[in-house]
């Protein structure tokens, strides 16, 4: 056991995300050996008293076989049609294999709307927590069949991060065809080395993350770093590891030095701030200066107009926006003003806002610290 990773042993509520490249062969058809091993390992952890949640890719790939397709469909309509077939095939496979290991599973299909709307967020949370209380292993996928672009999550790295924040997970494990974050692209550089632990997610992490995944998967390392930024902000640990590695889940959960570990930040977020994190898609972006960035990150300050440099997107008061500095999202929050009003007051002191907007009763803060969650 790695002394540094002993904290992982105590993790009880664990989300496991498995990618299409792990679940399928190069032909695009399901790899039943991998699926069986995954189910066995999750069942063993469940028998130890862990609360296990599986976020599974593979609906489109599972539908390709019955339909006689040799290549992944490209259009959204074709993907949704193939996923409609594949979701049934995949869930039947999971149900049959998990039952052999004495486990009951239940399918949950989500879209971003289930996190974006706060009432749906609470309902999704209650449903998933009740399933865990009843000893059911939730198997979660995006509802590809009906998802529209506006509320489409897009990749299961993001979906698993969203799920982790919804249910207050202790640990998120991303299994794919990569065994962690490297100092360089290992396919191009012989001297690339695996990074065991990432304490701080900064620009360098994104720079070395590389491009897209394999032809069978949609999530490259970049989306995994985005997922890590999201969950660690919610005090959730995350590990990226190879889904083809033997006994990988057990080894991670006993503290072995497998893959890349992202320790969660020491913070306690109430449900409202967890909803802010899980809702994912922001309506717009506010770019701030260095002084504002430091005030938010180091002192937990509200976002004031004086520190705003630029406003992007069209949004209304009450919408969720991303707050950025130097190209990275440092926080998310609920704005008191719409985009055009913020454009008018950016760079000005709070006492000037009433005069600029031409009415009284304005807010001193663009985003109050109670409605803001730090991502750095």
């Amino acid at each position: 056991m790695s002394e540094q990773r002993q904290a992982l042993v105590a993790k009880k509520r664990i989300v496991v995300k498995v990618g299409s490249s792990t679940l399928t062969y190069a032909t695009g058809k399901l790899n039943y050996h991998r699926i069986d091993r995954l189910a066995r390992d999750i069942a063993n952890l469940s028998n130890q008293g862990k609360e296990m949640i599986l976020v599974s890719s593979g609906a489109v790939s599972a539908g390709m076989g019955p339909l006689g397709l040799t290549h992944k469909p490209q259009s959204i309509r074709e993907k949704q049609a193939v996923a409609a077939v594949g979701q049934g095939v995949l869930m039947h496979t999971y149900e049959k294999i998990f039952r052999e290991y004495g486990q009951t599973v239940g399918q949950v299909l989500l879209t971003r709307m289930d996190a974006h709307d706060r009432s749906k967020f609470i309902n999704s949370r209650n449903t998933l927590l009740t399933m865990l209380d009843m000893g059911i292993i939730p198997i979660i996928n995006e509802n590809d069949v009906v998802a529209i672009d506006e509320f489409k999550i897009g990749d299961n790295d993001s979906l698993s991060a969203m799920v982790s924040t919804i249910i207050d997970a202790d640990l998120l494990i991303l299994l794919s065809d990569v065994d962690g974050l490297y100092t360089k692209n290992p396919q191009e550089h012989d001297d690339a080395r695996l990074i065991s632990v990432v304490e701080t997610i900064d620009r360098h992490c994104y720079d070395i993350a590389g491009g897209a995944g394999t032809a069978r998967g949609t999530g490259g390392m970049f989306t995994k770093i985005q997922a890590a930024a999201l969950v660690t902000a919610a005090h959730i640990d995350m590990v990226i590891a190879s889904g083809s590695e033997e006994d990988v889940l057990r080894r991670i959960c006993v503290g072995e030095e497998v893959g890349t570990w992202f320790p969660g930040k020491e913070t306690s977020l109430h449900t409202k701030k967890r909803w802010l994190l899980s809702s994912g898609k922001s309506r717009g972006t506010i770019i701030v200066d260095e002084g504002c960035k430091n005030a938010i990150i180091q002192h937990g300050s509200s976002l004031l107009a004086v520190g705003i440099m630029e406003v992007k997107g069209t949004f209304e008061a009450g919408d969720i926006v991303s707050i950025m500095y130097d190209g990275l999202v440092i926080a998310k929050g609920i704005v008191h003003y719409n985009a055009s009003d913020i454009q008018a007051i950016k760079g000005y002191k709070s006492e000037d806002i009433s005069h600029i907007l031409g009415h009284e009763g304005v807010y001193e803060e663009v985003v109050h610290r109670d409605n803001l969650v730090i991502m750095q």
Side-chain angles (χ1 to χ4, degrees), residues 291-306:
C292 183
K293 181 262 293 186
N294 291 337
I296 290 172
I297 293 178
Q298 297 174 16
H299 305 293
S301 300
S302 300
L303 171 61
L304 303 180
V306 68

Side-chain angles (χ1 to χ4, degrees), residues 100-172:
E100 292 179 357
Y101 293 109
Q103 302 295 328
T104 301
V105 299
Q107 184 179 37
V108 180
L109 299 174
L110 297 174
T111 67
R112 193 183 296 280
M113 175 59 87
D114 295 299
H116 190 81
D117 182 283
R118 195 163 181 221
S119 64
K120 291 187 177 183
F121 166 87
I122 297 296
N123 186 59
S124 298
R125 172 184 169 85
N126 290 339
T127 299
L128 290 169
L129 293 181
T130 301
M131 291 175 74
L132 294 176
D133 286 342
M134 295 177 67
I136 302 167
I137 297 175
I139 297 181
I140 301 171
N141 202 341
E142 181 168 11
N143 196 350
D144 291 318
V145 178
V146 299
I148 58 175
D149 284 346
E150 184 179 3
F151 295 114
K152 193 166 177 61
I153 300 161
D155 67 86
N156 277 354
D157 294 330
S158 300
L159 174 60
S160 62
M162 185 182 95
V163 168
S164 298
T165 57
I166 287 175
I167 62 167
D168 302 345
D170 300 313
L171 172 64
L172 168 61

Side-chain angles (χ1 to χ4, degrees), residues 219-260:
M221 186 57 68
F222 192 87
T223 61
K224 292 171 177 55
I225 302 301
Q226 288 179 317
L230 187 77
V231 298
T232 55
H235 190 36
I236 301 167
D237 287 31
M238 192 182 101
V239 175
I240 301 172
S242 171
S244 62
E245 195 161 336
E246 190 69 30
D247 211 16
V248 64
L249 291 181
R250 183 196 65 81
R251 292 169 58 202
I252 290 170
C253 291
V254 299
E256 285 192 27
E257 199 164 311
V258 180
T260 301

Side-chain angles (χ1 to χ4, degrees), residues 177-244:
D177 55 352
V178 293
D179 49 6
L181 179 65
Y182 280 81
T183 54
K184 303 175 183 177
N185 187 336
Q187 297 177 346
E188 299 176 1
H189 302 277
D190 293 336
D191 60 342
R193 61 179 181 82
L194 182 68
I195 302 171
S196 176
V197 58
V198 176
E199 299 279 0
T200 303
I201 299 171
D202 54 18
R203 173 175 288 281
H204 179 64
C205 289
Y206 288 99
D207 288 342
I208 62 177
T214 66
R216 289 175 288 143
T218 57
M221 186 57 68
F222 192 87
T223 61
K224 292 171 177 55
I225 302 301
Q226 288 179 317
L230 187 77
V231 298
T232 55
H235 190 36
I236 301 167
D237 287 31
M238 192 182 101
V239 175
I240 301 172
S242 171
S244 62

Side-chain angles (χ1 to χ4, degrees), residues 58-78:
V60 174
S61 295
M64 289 171 59
L67 294 171
L69 302 177
T70 57
H71 298 286
K72 209 169 187 177
Q74 297 301 311
S75 75
I76 292 176
R77 286 189 300 174
E78 287 177 326

Side-chain angles (χ1 to χ4, degrees), residues 11 18 21 29 51 69 92 112 141 147 157 210 212 265 291:
K11 304 299 182 184
V18 59
S21 56
K29 295 185 178 181
E51 295 178 339
L69 302 177
H92 175 73
R112 193 183 296 280
N141 202 341
D157 294 330
K265 293 180 176 62

